[in-house]
Amino acid sequence: MDNKKWWKETVVYQIYPRSFQDSNGDGIGDLKGILNRLDYLEKLGIGAIWLSPVCKSPQDDNGYDISDYQDIDPMFGSLADMDALIQEAAKRNIKIVMDLVLNHTSDEHPWFVEAKKGKDNPYYDYYVWRDGEPGTPPNELGSIFGGSAWEYVPELGQYFLHLFSVKQPDLNWANPKVREEIYHMINWWIDRGVGGFRLDVIDLIAKEPDRLITGNGPKLHEYIQELSRLTFRRADLLTVGETWGATPEIAKLFSNPDGSEFSMVFQFEHIGLDEQPGKSKWDLAPLDFMKLKHVLSKWQTELKGEAWNSLFWNNHDLPRIVSRWGNDGEYRVESAKMLATLLHGMQGTPYVYQGEELGMTNVQYPIEEYRDIELLNLHKERTDQGYPQEEIMASIYTKGRDNARTPMQWDATAEAGFTTGTPWIRVNPNYTSINAEQELTEADSIFYHYQKLIQLRKEHEVIIYGDYELLFPEDAHIFAYTRTLDGETIIVLCNFYGEQVPYALPDSLTGEKELLIANYKDELPQYLLRPYEARMYRLKVNP
């Protein structure tokens, strides 16, 4: 098999550190807490941990506003704790993947503090500045978090660019000194033993604001190839770019098998399928299931042999998948297992977000109990615009980022075993019935289903490297496909909905089959799939 890589064959587990495990009772998860849970992750079978940002930060955007790239924020611990985590994870054959935010810094980063001192300061040109009168920004570019992307600095009589929060000024990648500083920092982390990097909103670094270009700027791939050449290619790393604007053609550049850019990308085409076209994620629409089949299949077939995909339903920015596209009531267990089976049978590197392996669900809190800046800005903006409160809250319940950020549910004790103190955000009240301790005692739990899916990838190369073919493309309930490699065939059958449905396999797939995994204990003799039923078969080939 050409171009085998460890990062194609592993499963990555994403940790949102402030919500995973608190070791000191301050209500915020930390690195020692993660270290104390490594045995749990080893049992699950994952091979890498992607840590959301742990670098020093004022936490305006939960760590995605970095004030020191080469130190750990005290709320999470110390550099010594980070070194210990890297070393202890390595003993369990688990690599640590760091989250790097290279598009912008915090406004409290020493570079920006210096930059504001004057146009002749050596750090001034580390950021993006434009002339403009007070109250009249240079142009109409908007911040992703709402309002203008420009902020006036009276001392300089200029505006700086911030595509996100006003406390997240954008770096000027056109300045070679900025790039040199970034490469030096990345190599410093590589030398400390990290196993890779996730690159936050990396497709924005080549922005040309005067032309209103933010994503996929003309020099983007030039910058990334230089970045890779001078850093990533020094070691055998997993690198994944967060690329909201990626198409399959763009992804082939980002993830060229020659290793000139990244290992893989996060693309989000499937994530926008339950919003009104042309509007924001808060403008809800029912999921277009046929489009979901088309989009996921497109990324499977079009990247084949030319790039590598990441596979995910959840992350720190997305609502819980079992509440979003599954059924978090009567069929919570079945639908959580179905969604896992559907994803893990595909080609690409699967990502499991903390609590996904337990079937953790969305929450519905009063607005004052939420913490996310994006969500709170949305609430204020839409309230000011006269939207009905019920409609605003329905959007927040469905799509709010805090759905993913409630504390990990470890057991049924106070605060779900997450902390001995008061958690920074309220624990989901269902923790007494949904928690890791309970799942580990139940042989057919969601946890053990994920564990088996991860093990199947290790046992069957066809799941990693095999060709993909969609079955039943016009079926409105079933998502089914095959994976084939060197004469071996895997069949994945998933009923995406809560009604029982019939199916008929093509003649070429009706031979003797070995059931590899399923989410119902018994198997119906006829060709039927029960609500949210999922099965994965290996077609036995007669010698």
Side-chain angles (χ1 to χ4, degrees), residues 4 20 51 59 70-71 85 155 176 190 234 275 286 289-290 303 317 362 368 391 397 407 446 451 453 486 504 536:
K4 280 189 177 183
F20 191 64
L51 286 182
Q59 302 295 319
Q70 289 173 251
D71 201 2
L85 178 61
E155 308 93 278
I190 293 171
R234 295 176 57 238
E275 63 192 51
F289 176 62
M290 303 306 281
L303 296 194
D317 283 336
N362 285 354
E368 58 271 13
E391 186 180 325
Y397 296 155
I446 300 169
Q451 183 194 59
L453 285 169
D486 298 335
M536 183 184 292

Side-chain angles (χ1 to χ4, degrees), residues 115-183:
K116 287 200 297 183
K117 290 181 179 176
K119 297 178 184 178
D120 56 351
N121 190 287
Y123 290 97
Y124 167 82
D125 199 33
Y126 276 40
Y127 295 89
V128 181
W129 300 92
R130 293 293 185 271
D131 292 330
E133 296 299 317
T136 309
N139 61 31
E140 64 267 34
L141 269 183
S143 160
I144 290 162
F145 288 166
S148 173
W150 298 99
E151 179 71 9
Y152 190 68
V153 178
E155 308 93 278
L156 294 178
Q158 283 191 310
Y159 285 82
F160 69 83
L161 181 70
H162 63 94
L163 291 179
F164 293 87
S165 160
V166 70
K167 290 182 64 64
Q168 293 168 294
D170 279 54
L171 285 165
N172 177 20
W173 270 70
N175 181 351
K177 289 182 181 174
V178 170
R179 305 202 300 275
E180 284 172 26
E181 295 254 26
I182 286 171
Y183 304 159

Side-chain angles (χ1 to χ4, degrees), residues 117-314:
K117 290 181 179 176
K119 297 178 184 178
D120 56 351
N121 190 287
Y123 290 97
Y124 167 82
D125 199 33
Y126 276 40
Y127 295 89
V128 181
W129 300 92
R130 293 293 185 271
D131 292 330
E133 296 299 317
T136 309
N139 61 31
E140 64 267 34
L141 269 183
S143 160
I144 290 162
F145 288 166
S148 173
W150 298 99
E151 179 71 9
Y152 190 68
V153 178
E155 308 93 278
L156 294 178
Q158 283 191 310
Y159 285 82
F160 69 83
L161 181 70
H162 63 94
L163 291 179
F164 293 87
S165 160
V166 70
K167 290 182 64 64
Q168 293 168 294
D170 279 54
L171 285 165
N172 177 20
W173 270 70
N175 181 351
K177 289 182 181 174
V178 170
R179 305 202 300 275
E180 284 172 26
E181 295 254 26
I182 286 171
Y183 304 159
H184 172 79
M185 173 271 294
I186 292 173
N187 285 325
W188 183 84
W189 279 114
I190 293 171
D191 292 341
R192 289 190 98 87
V194 300
F197 301 95
R198 178 261 188 187
L199 292 308
D200 184 65
V201 295
I202 195 68
D203 54 353
L204 302 182
I205 61 171
K207 65 190 74 70
E208 293 193 4
D210 302 327
R211 299 169 60 196
L212 304 181
I213 294 172
T214 53
N216 295 308
K219 290 197 169 182
L220 179 62
H221 295 282
E222 179 185 323
Y223 289 155
I224 292 174
Q225 286 164 20
E226 180 184 82
L227 163 68
S228 177
R229 188 172 67 252
L230 297 178
T231 60
F232 305 150
R233 297 181 84 162
R234 295 176 57 238
D236 186 14
L237 303 176
L238 182 161
T239 55
V240 53
E242 183 194 28
T243 57
W244 282 85
T247 62
E249 289 309 310
I250 292 171
K252 291 172 189 178
L253 299 174
F254 280 127
S255 178
N256 192 311
D258 67 8
S260 59
E261 296 195 14
F262 303 137
S263 310
M264 65 191 87
V265 295
F266 284 130
Q267 55 79 19
F268 297 87
E269 191 175 356
H270 61 301
I271 292 305
L273 295 178
D274 56 359
E275 63 192 51
Q276 295 175 34
K279 295 191 177 181
S280 80
K281 75 177 188 181
W282 306 105
D283 298 299
L284 308 179
L287 172 67
D288 187 326
F289 176 62
M290 303 306 281
K291 271 194 183 168
L292 180 70
K293 290 209 288 189
H294 168 74
V295 167
L296 291 181
S297 298
K298 175 179 75 173
W299 283 90
Q300 287 290 293
T301 55
E302 292 194 20
L303 296 194
K304 175 67 182 171
E306 296 185 71
W308 195 253
N309 206 0
S310 57
L311 305 169
F312 69 96
W313 293 126
N314 296 282

Side-chain angles (χ1 to χ4, degrees), residues 318-334:
L318 300 175
R320 295 283 179 182
I321 194 61
V322 73
S323 297
R324 185 179 189 178
W325 292 345
N327 176 322
D328 62 9
E330 180 183 0
Y331 293 108
R332 183 185 68 86
V333 172
E334 291 84 356

